[in-house]
Amino acid sequence: MHAEGVSNDEFRAAMSRLAAGVVLVTAHEPQPDPEGPSGEDVGMTATSFMSVSLDPPLVMVGLREGSRMDDLLDEQPLWAVSVLTESQRQIAGRFAMKGRISDRLLFEDLQWVRGEASGAPLIGGALATLECRTEQRVTAGDHTLVIGRVLTSSAPNTEGGPLTYFRGRYRQLG
């Protein structure tokens, strides 16, 4: 129990009743050695993603403090988001795995393009994609809230519904 009287399990159970959209957050980690390889692409499944402001266009993603993506976005201000469709459940699962293989291998058989503004992978077939530049980072408990200015936005896919997360599982609307 926390001092406030809410246990981790009670809080987790309550929040599992809140349906959330599923996105893939991506960034390109540049190689520090200009003579070396071109760097590595990194991806992370997230359900804590939201619109913050229309003017200017801002979004926010919550990252577990000390995660690879948190560390990367602390140094690399450019990143992207692909809003996943209900048919992209496998993509969400592969980038959410703990102890997973290298991100390079996770991207290997996916259809994606490199964002012109961020250099980050944008997943083909996504409902929408956004490229962002970090404006602010806020520590919030065991997470970092990263607020990003949207540099580009596209909604190429109008087919199918969004992938959602509810009661600990990926779900479809309807």
Side-chain angles (χ1 to χ4, degrees), residues 33-48:
D33 177 7
E35 301 299 317
S38 62
E40 186 173 0
D41 295 314
V42 178
M44 180 199 92
T45 301
T47 56
S48 57

Side-chain angles (χ1 to χ4, degrees), residues 5 9 13 31-32 37 45-46 50 55 67 72-73 79 83 87 91 96 98 104 106 112 121 131 136 146 159 168 170:
D9 289 340
Q31 178 66 19
T45 301
M50 64 183 280
D55 187 18
S67 67
L72 176 55
L73 295 189
W79 45 284
V83 178
S87 65
I91 294 171
K98 293 182 179 172
R104 180 181 53 78
L106 294 177
W112 60 272
E131 293 183 88
Q136 187 176 3
V146 179
E159 298 298 315
Y170 296 117

Side-chain angles (χ1 to χ4, degrees), residues 57-79:
L58 299 174
V59 294
M60 185 202 71
V61 64
L63 306 174
R64 189 179 71 249
E65 190 174 32
S67 67
R68 182 168 184 202
M69 188 63 74
D70 181 38
D71 291 344
L72 176 55
L73 295 189
D74 191 31
E75 295 184 18
Q76 161 62 285
L78 299 173
W79 45 284

Side-chain angles (χ1 to χ4, degrees), residues 72-164:
L72 176 55
L73 295 189
D74 191 31
E75 295 184 18
Q76 161 62 285
L78 299 173
W79 45 284
V81 173
S82 296
V83 178
L84 300 179
T85 68
E86 57 198 5
S87 65
Q88 294 176 315
R89 178 184 301 216
Q90 184 180 10
I91 294 171
R94 83 166 50 177
F95 283 93
M97 289 187 306
K98 293 182 179 172
R100 64 189 192 213
I101 58 176
S102 79
D103 284 15
R104 180 181 53 78
L105 294 175
L106 294 177
F107 281 106
E108 200 167 76
D109 65 344
L110 294 180
Q111 178 189 15
W112 60 272
V113 297
R114 190 163 303 285
E116 291 186 26
S118 67
L122 302 171
I123 300 301
L127 286 175
T129 59
L130 304 111
E131 293 183 88
C132 306
R133 182 186 64 239
T134 300
E135 292 274 309
Q136 187 176 3
R137 293 173 52 88
V138 178
T139 300
D142 60 0
H143 276 63
T144 302
L145 306 178
V146 179
I147 299 170
R149 180 178 297 254
V150 177
L151 305 173
T152 70
S153 175
S154 175
N157 188 354
T158 58
E159 298 298 315
L163 181 60
T164 59

